[in-house]
Amino acid sequence: MMTSAATVDFNRLTHAYNHVFTDAFTSRKITPENLKSVFEQTQVDLDASQILIEDDRIIGFGFLGIRGQSGWITSVGIEPDQRGRGLGRDIMQALIHTATSRGLSTLQLEVTDYNEVALNLYESLGFETRRKLLTLDGEDKPSIDVQHPVTDIKAEHALSYYDAFHTIPAPWKRHQHSLSQLSRTHRAWMMNQAAYAIGYAWGGIIYLDDVGFLPGEEAIFGQLLTAMQSEDVLMRVHNLADNEPAWDVMQSLGYEAGIIQHEMWLNLAEA
C-alpha cells in the first residue's frame, strides 16, 4: 500500500529510515529530532512524501521537498530484502504524480555517480543530469599571499550577503532557507565583505556548507580559504556545483573532488 508519509508515526518512520540505510555508503543513524531538522532545512512536505507498507511493515519510502513551483526528491529507499521488485520505480512514479497534482513545474534530485542502478532508474523516468555536485577536500595550505584579515561573524549575518555572492543558483541543500536553519550551529568567515565561507570545525576538519564571493573577487576568495587553512586541518566543501565560480578557484588551489553527485531535473510539463 502506497500512502502519505504524514499518516505514519514519526518515530516509526525514523526507525525505517535508519534500517533502510544501514548498508549505505555513509551509514545514516539519525534521531527523530535530527530527521525533523533535516526535513525542515530541505522543506520536505510529509503530506506529499510517500511510504510503501506491506504486512504492516514500512518497506520503502521517498520524500518530497517543495519550494514554490519546484520539488526535490530525497532519500528514496527500499528495505534490502525487498529490492529488485521494482518498488523504487513505484515510489518515484507516485512522487512524480504527487508533484504534478500539486502544480509543480520541475523536480530535482541528487544521486551519486557510483549508484548506477538509481541513475538508470531516474534516466528511464525522464530525469536529465544538469550538472555535477562535488564534495571537495583541500589538504595542503596554498602558497599565496594573504593581504586582508579574516573576520569571524555569525552565520546569520553572513547570509545577508547570500544573493550577492551567488550569481549561479546553488543546489537545493545550499539554498538560503536551508542554510538559515543551520545558522545556530554554524559560524562564518568573511574577508573584505567580498567573500565568505559558512560551516563548522570538528575533529581536525573544517566542514563548509556554503562558499561564495562577489563577481570578480576570485582572488579574495582564494585568500580567504588560504587564511582559514593550517597545515594540520582538512578543508571539506559539500555540494559545490561544477558550474559555480568557486569551483575554478578551489581547483586552482589544489582541492580535489571526492564524492560526485548528479543533479538531475525533470520538466513536469514534458513528463
Side-chain angles (χ1 to χ4, degrees):
M1 177 183 68
M2 193 82 67
T3 188
S4 165
T7 64
V8 176
D9 176 77
F10 200 83
N11 289 332
R12 183 184 178 195
L13 188 63
T14 305
H15 176 78
Y17 183 96
N18 283 321
H19 193 261
V20 163
F21 288 121
T22 52
D23 65 343
F25 178 76
T26 302
S27 183
R28 308 186 193 185
K29 291 296 182 182
I30 194 167
T31 66
E33 292 73 20
N34 288 340
L35 187 58
K36 285 180 181 178
S37 178
V38 170
F39 286 169
E40 289 170 0
Q41 292 164 21
T42 53
Q43 293 179 281
V44 164
D45 185 327
L46 288 178
D47 285 320
S49 301
Q50 301 293 315
I51 60 170
L52 190 57
I53 298 177
E54 190 172 274
D55 296 329
D56 200 36
R57 173 192 177 202
I58 298 176
I59 61 172
F61 47 72
F63 300 103
L64 179 62
I66 298 176
R67 288 182 182 140
Q69 299 298 110
S70 299
W72 182 68
I73 294 174
T74 182
S75 301
V76 175
I78 304 296
E79 283 283 0
D81 64 346
Q82 299 296 317
R83 293 170 189 168
R85 296 174 53 194
L87 301 180
R89 180 177 295 275
D90 292 342
I91 290 173
M92 285 296 299
Q93 289 174 331
L95 291 170
I96 292 170
H97 174 76
T98 299
T100 302
S101 67
R102 292 284 189 103
L104 303 187
S105 58
T106 60
L107 273 178
Q108 307 174 39
L109 56 81
E110 299 165 12
V111 57
T112 53
D113 63 349
Y114 63 81
N115 192 345
E116 294 183 4
V117 172
L119 185 58
N120 291 336
L121 169 62
Y122 301 146
E123 288 177 340
S124 74
L125 292 168
F127 284 85
E128 297 180 347
T129 298
R130 288 282 187 92
R131 55 186 180 176
K132 300 290 184 66
L133 306 182
L134 314 170
T135 295
L136 302 176
D137 286 345
E139 296 188 41
D140 300 320
K141 186 178 179 69
S143 57
I144 62 175
D145 292 333
V146 176
Q147 302 172 358
H148 305 276
V150 176
T151 304
D152 195 340
I153 64 174
K154 292 183 178 180
E156 182 180 9
H157 175 57
L159 286 174
S160 65
Y161 294 83
Y162 182 90
D163 289 336
F165 286 2
H166 291 84
T167 56
I168 293 176
W172 191 277
K173 288 187 284 189
R174 286 179 46 229
H175 185 278
Q176 187 170 7
H177 171 87
S178 295
L179 296 170
S180 69
Q181 301 299 301
L182 300 172
S183 61
R184 294 186 301 274
T185 57
H186 284 44
R187 57 187 289 196
W189 299 261
M190 179 170 281
M191 181 173 283
N192 216 35
Q193 295 186 317
Y196 75 27
I198 298 175
Y200 62 97
W202 185 76
I205 302 176
I206 296 179
Y207 297 92
L208 299 180
D209 286 310
D210 193 43
V211 294
F213 53 90
L214 291 174
E217 297 289 2
E218 289 85 354
I220 293 292
F221 178 58
Q223 290 180 44
L224 171 64
L225 294 178
T226 300
M228 291 172 58
Q229 190 162 10
S230 62
E231 296 299 336
D232 57 347
V233 170
L234 173 71
M235 303 273 282
R236 178 166 293 163
V237 183
H238 296 292
N239 269 46
L240 187 74
D242 62 4
N243 66 339
E244 291 186 73
W247 163 232
D248 292 331
V249 177
M250 301 186 81
Q251 192 173 29
S252 72
L253 295 176
Y255 282 73
E256 296 183 351
I259 298 174
I260 300 175
Q261 298 188 94
H262 294 250
E263 183 184 71
M264 306 186 77
W265 289 60
L266 176 67
N267 185 337
L268 292 174
E270 300 175 357

